[in-house]
Amino acid sequence: MEHKTIGELIMAYFKSHPKQDLNHAPVVDWVEEQYMSMYGKKPRDIWRNIRSLYQQGQLIQVRKGVYRYDPNYVHDVDLYDFPADVKEEIFKRDHYRCVVCGLGRENGVEICADHKRAKDKGGTNTAENGQTLCTQHNLLKKRYSMTEAGKRFFIKMYEDAVRIDDENMIKFCSSIFNLYDQYGLDSQIQRPD
């Protein structure tokens, strides 16, 4: 039996179902079964590999969690980082500090230039689309959408305000949670108040 990578298995499944909108369950199940038969162990991060193939232009994202392979639309996507001069412009503009927590290199914190709008969602490599984040907040943003990350930050602020009995900050955060509710955003994240 020919050995294949997780990415090759994913593409084999999508190519055998061209122009079909596929959610992750059948793809993951099939890839896992094939991988187990080849290597005798479960593959890791199949869903992340699917997303990576989309980011490379091999798959089309129909909607969140649903992808399609169309041989007529496969293209290479230019996924590159900010050029060095633009990265420096972003850092300088943000005073070499994370725009979320305010920590920076002088605090011994590593900083990075982050795309406000991701490249795979049409974001550009311009300073206007960049922001300085510490590695902790950059990882949080990658893990969650911007609104999810924002809600989690406000939850932390709220909890800190409750701990020190800061009534103004408690009211402020509660108002923000009300806006999340009003617009139906991130209801899967329980508000703490």
Side-chain angles (χ1 to χ4, degrees):
M1 175 182 284
E2 179 187 347
H3 291 298
K4 294 186 176 180
T5 66
I6 295 169
E8 289 170 336
L9 288 169
I10 291 167
M11 286 309 299
Y13 187 88
F14 273 98
K15 286 178 179 180
S16 69
H17 299 84
K19 299 183 181 183
Q20 293 181 29
D21 297 350
L22 302 171
N23 67 32
H24 73 284
V27 180
V28 170
D29 290 347
W30 186 84
V31 170
E32 189 172 285
E33 180 183 311
Q34 299 302 309
Y35 195 89
M36 289 279 296
S37 69
M38 282 188 274
Y39 300 104
K41 61 182 181 180
K42 281 190 166 198
R44 298 182 68 178
D45 299 324
I46 297 171
W47 191 239
R48 184 175 291 159
N49 277 273
I50 293 171
R51 181 152 179 78
S52 177
L53 289 165
Y54 154 65
Q55 291 172 331
Q56 295 168 21
Q58 301 301 306
L59 299 173
I60 299 165
Q61 185 176 35
V62 178
R63 60 185 174 277
K64 187 173 184 177
V66 178
Y67 295 87
R68 176 188 319 137
Y69 170 73
D70 185 337
N72 299 321
Y73 290 100
V74 173
H75 63 285
D76 289 328
V77 177
D78 190 12
L79 293 175
Y80 54 91
D81 200 0
F82 290 104
D85 61 328
V86 174
K87 189 181 289 191
E88 183 60 26
E89 181 182 347
I90 293 165
F91 290 159
K92 187 174 183 180
R93 181 199 63 215
D94 295 338
H95 307 289
Y96 299 89
R97 295 180 168 278
C98 175
V99 298
V100 176
C101 67
L103 297 177
R105 291 176 177 161
E106 66 186 39
N107 307 102
V109 173
E110 186 178 338
I111 58 172
C112 51
D114 170 68
H115 289 88
K116 292 178 186 176
R117 183 170 185 185
K119 294 282 294 166
D120 63 341
K121 293 188 176 12
T124 62
N125 273 344
T126 61
E128 295 76 31
N129 188 44
Q131 62 185 349
T132 303
L133 292 179
C134 66
T135 52
Q136 178 183 0
H137 286 115
N138 190 41
L139 288 172
L140 273 175
K141 182 181 172 236
K142 286 184 186 337
R143 203 172 299 144
Y144 307 109
S145 74
M146 288 291 276
T147 57
E148 287 175 331
K151 189 170 186 180
R152 292 179 193 282
F153 291 134
F154 280 111
I155 289 170
K156 173 138 180 37
M157 286 171 55
Y158 176 85
E159 291 168 346
D160 289 344
V162 167
R163 193 179 73 257
I164 62 170
D165 198 29
D166 181 344
E167 289 187 32
N168 280 339
M169 186 55 71
I170 291 169
K171 288 177 186 174
F172 173 75
C173 290
S174 291
S175 296
I176 297 296
F177 299 142
N178 290 338
L179 287 171
Y180 274 89
D181 292 346
Q182 179 182 342
Y183 290 97
L185 294 173
D186 305 313
S187 57
Q188 76 279 10
I189 303 170
Q190 187 73 32
R191 58 186 287 171
D193 61 342

